[in-house]
Amino acid sequence: MTPPRTPQIPVVVLAGFLGSGKTTLLNHLLRNRAGTRIGVIVNDFGAIEIDAMTVSGQVGSTVSLGNGCLCCAVDASELDTFLETLTRPSARLDVIVIEASGLAEPQELVRMLLASDNPHILYGGLVEVVDAAEFGRTRQRHPEIDRHLAVADLVVLNKTDRVGEAERERLRAAVAELSGPAAVISAVHGRIDPELLFDPALRPDHEDKVRQLTFEDLLREEAPDGHEGHDDHLHASYESVDFTSDIPMDPRRFMEFLDSRPDGLYRIKGFADFGAGDRDNSYALHAVGRFLRFVPRPWARGEQRLTQLVMIGAGIDAAALSAGLAACRADGAERADEPGSADAADVERAMWGVLRYVPEQAPEPEAFDAHETADPREAAAEA
């Protein structure tokens, strides 16, 4: 189950020290985006490859990468200006990736995103890329990497082909200790499944059929079984757990589940039905790392009232997550629905745990297909 697309565009921060493989990972995303239109913001001089050509960005420039993707090279102070440019409807982008300078403080970019007044963006997580072969030396030269890992939502342990299995496991353990609850996945040449970071774009049929054959199409045709060489089984580095319930969720139990969600659970997306807690609305849920937001959406007439969630992570216990969510289902929902009952008052109080993650000014129902809103993550950013 994939929630409907929303006009709010997720913004992913891609960070890592020089040589860790950020640009390689970004090029991989651009070449394997499956029709997703990506906006790229680079706050450093560099080169982004797409469709067999190299585009060199200059500060303050916007370059078309073809197939709907755009590249901007900006100074950090210009970030809001280019976010405004990339979130215009005419750009028709699905996701924005900010490639941070190798010497940038990624938490500063996160703060800027969370403080932005742009109503069209949605925080999509901080991804820290680590060079497995150079990790020890990098920590010696740049001890601040410990701080960067501590605020990451997802850590990509890159270049794992350059270390032995025993060293790889030791590095994973060391990185996991520094990154706390963040999911840690291994990669070679920056190859990760794009669905870890963003959902595939859903296009009208005519948009996919009436277009020129692209370089990425040729790559797929040349590779056996439609796969691009070493990219087979990228999904093996993470797990996805689906949960559906036609019984409403108890808001107090559900928030306890979210507050104690296990390490390695990177993304949660979907919709929750709180039954008597709010009979008028379904609640869109968006969580990245420890960042969490809800936005209410009125139930459509005749719509089946379900809770539908997708959880994505690395090293997670799928059975335990499913059991934990099942235990969040409400008891005595019909009895609590009686106005003035003690149960109804208790459910109403429990809903405050959900409502604290809803913005003071939620988007108008007609403005979005699936609503998502923000709760600050300053505590993690300041850690």
Side-chain angles (χ1 to χ4, degrees), residues 20-103:
S20 62
K22 297 189 307 297
T23 301
T24 302
L25 190 155
L26 180 56
N27 288 333
H28 166 75
L29 294 177
L30 289 168
R31 288 160 61 99
N32 296 273
R33 58 191 177 78
T36 300
R37 295 187 173 100
I38 303 176
V40 178
I41 296 179
V42 183
N43 84 314
D44 194 13
F45 292 99
I48 306 299
E49 296 181 26
I50 186 67
D51 285 354
M53 63 181 179
T54 299
V55 177
S56 296
Q58 299 296 322
V59 170
S61 68
T62 302
V63 182
S64 174
L65 298 180
N67 298 320
C69 294
L70 297 173
C71 179
C72 301
V74 304
D75 183 83
S77 63
E78 300 174 304
L79 183 59
D80 268 335
T81 300
F82 276 87
L83 283 174
E84 183 65 31
T85 299
L86 293 178
T87 55
R88 289 173 182 166
S90 57
R92 304 177 66 206
L93 296 178
D94 301 296
V95 63
I96 295 171
V97 178
I98 300 175
E99 183 186 2
S101 161
L103 298 177

Side-chain angles (χ1 to χ4, degrees), residues 292-363:
L292 175 65
R293 60 176 54 178
F294 285 100
V295 179
R297 173 184 64 87
W299 291 105
R301 181 175 298 178
E303 179 181 358
Q304 186 178 9
R305 302 197 172 201
L306 296 173
T307 292
Q308 296 178 288
L309 300 170
V310 177
M311 295 165 286
I312 300 172
I316 56 178
D317 187 333
L321 285 173
S322 296
L325 282 172
C328 294
R329 291 180 293 194
D331 297 321
E334 293 301 322
R335 187 161 50 88
D337 210 19
E338 298 175 7
S341 70
D343 289 318
D346 183 63
V347 170
E348 184 178 345
R349 285 193 297 271
M351 277 299 294
W352 281 106
V354 175
L355 296 176
R356 66 192 175 101
Y357 291 100
V358 174
E360 294 182 3
Q361 294 182 340

Side-chain angles (χ1 to χ4, degrees), residues 236-258:
S237 62
Y238 70 94
E239 295 177 88
S240 178
V241 182
D242 295 350
F243 176 82
T244 301
S245 174
D246 58 1
I247 300 175
M249 307 299 281
D250 178 276
R252 181 175 288 111
R253 293 179 201 162
F254 189 57
M255 291 310 303
E256 288 173 354
F257 171 86
L258 292 176

Side-chain angles (χ1 to χ4, degrees), residues 69 111 121 135-136 157 159 174 229 241 275 285 307 322 362 378:
C69 294
R111 282 197 187 97
I121 65 171
F135 180 63
L157 187 60
K159 306 184 183 181
V241 182
L285 164 63
T307 292
S322 296
E378 275 91 352

